[in-house]
Amino acid sequence: MLLKILLIAAIVGASMAFFFGNRTKEDAASGAAGGVLVAISFIVQLFFFGIMSIAGIWLVSHIL
């Protein structure tokens, strides 16, 4: 699932950079790298949101 998210982000980033850039292979490569970085930051954010949710549930259960 994570690989699929990274692959889709790379394809979208490469196609957008190719379309809006100078239509070179280097633009597509930099767009793919940017798409992968955005996807990785999304995955890390989702991971930390899950950890904080678990910590919040644990804290509330101990307070109540």
Side-chain angles (χ1 to χ4, degrees), residues 9-10 13-14 27-40:
D27 285 338
S30 65
V36 168
L37 286 177
V38 169
I40 287 174

Side-chain angles (χ1 to χ4, degrees), residues 16-24 27:
M16 288 185 68
F18 186 78
F19 183 71
F20 292 115
N22 295 330
R23 298 187 186 270
T24 61
D27 285 338

Side-chain angles (χ1 to χ4, degrees), residues 39-59:
I40 287 174
S41 68
F42 170 72
I43 290 169
V44 168
Q45 180 182 0
L46 198 62
F47 174 73
F48 282 119
F49 181 75
I51 287 177
M52 296 310 278
S53 296
I54 292 170
I57 292 169
W58 178 81
L59 183 66

